[in-house]
Amino acid sequence: MTMGVLLIPQAAACSVGAIDIPSGAPIERGEGFGKLAILTNDVEKERIKIESFTPLKPGGAQPTLGFSGEVKGVSLKTPGGGGTKVSVFGDLDGYQGVWVDYTDFENEQPLPPKPTSLVAEFEEAMLAANKEAAIQKKAAQMEEYEALGDAVRSGSGSGYVGM
């Protein structure tokens, strides 16, 4: 089963900005990448598929096979482990590709950073907001009580006459 695709850049620096392709313009082979790496669970099975390819026309283009085997990698998750299984091929248009074993490739990746707790950050923000709202509510109540007290003391508060 194929898991994902990686574009491996050319060795030379390649700077591509915004590309505007006119409508109907032919698509031409470019030099945007050096190889196409395709992650798979079974490199050997993919190599056999390419080996057994039959051209659609007699004498037609055939894919090519290059190196197949293990490439010494930097296994970060299983130090001292074997290399990464790969199989290099060329497609019918001459593009280079390489099948890469998914598990081996995954072992070469650094461990992800410890996740920050968005829930904890959200709870802290909510507590701070609630605290601020409570302070503002208490201040508003105090103003209301003071105004009510002033009205009662001056005798101008309706409903409080005779208290």
Side-chain angles (χ1 to χ4, degrees), residues 6 11 23 63 66 94 101:
L6 298 170
S23 178
D101 183 88

Side-chain angles (χ1 to χ4, degrees), residues 2 7-8 11-12 22 27 35 43-44 50-51 54 66 84 88 91 113 122 126 137 146-147 158 160:
T2 301
L7 296 177
I8 301 172
I27 297 174
K35 280 190 177 67
V43 170
E44 183 63 19
I50 292 173
E51 263 182 347
T54 305
T84 300
V88 178
D91 72 5
F122 176 75
M126 289 304 295
K137 184 177 180 181
E146 285 178 25
S158 61
Y160 294 104

Side-chain angles (χ1 to χ4, degrees), residues 9-153:
Q10 291 280 8
C14 176
S15 128
V16 178
I19 300 174
D20 185 20
I21 300 174
S23 178
I27 297 174
E28 298 177 8
R29 180 178 171 194
E31 299 298 326
F33 62 89
K35 280 190 177 67
L36 182 67
I38 305 169
L39 301 174
T40 182
N41 283 336
D42 194 341
V43 170
E44 183 63 19
K45 182 178 173 183
E46 301 298 344
R47 186 188 63 76
I48 290 169
K49 283 183 194 176
I50 292 173
E51 263 182 347
S52 62
F53 175 80
T54 305
L56 299 174
K57 299 177 189 174
Q62 295 233 182
T64 58
L65 284 173
F67 174 80
S68 281
E70 288 190 3
V71 176
K72 189 66 179 164
V74 181
S75 181
L76 299 172
K77 294 181 184 164
T78 54
T84 300
K85 292 180 278 305
V86 299
S87 184
V88 178
F89 66 93
D91 72 5
L92 300 179
D93 294 322
Y95 288 104
Q96 289 288 312
V98 59
W99 294 106
V100 179
D101 183 88
Y102 179 79
T103 304
D104 294 344
F105 176 78
E106 181 67 24
N107 286 335
E108 291 183 7
Q109 304 310 305
L111 293 173
K114 292 198 182 248
T116 60
S117 174
L118 293 177
V119 172
E121 290 175 18
F122 176 75
E123 287 174 347
E124 285 177 25
M126 289 304 295
L127 285 173
N130 287 340
K131 186 175 182 180
E132 181 63 29
I135 290 169
Q136 290 175 356
K137 184 177 180 181
K138 188 168 186 164
Q141 284 177 337
M142 290 304 292
E143 283 181 30
E144 190 176 313
Y145 292 150
E146 285 178 25
L148 185 59
D150 290 344
V152 169
R153 283 188 290 278

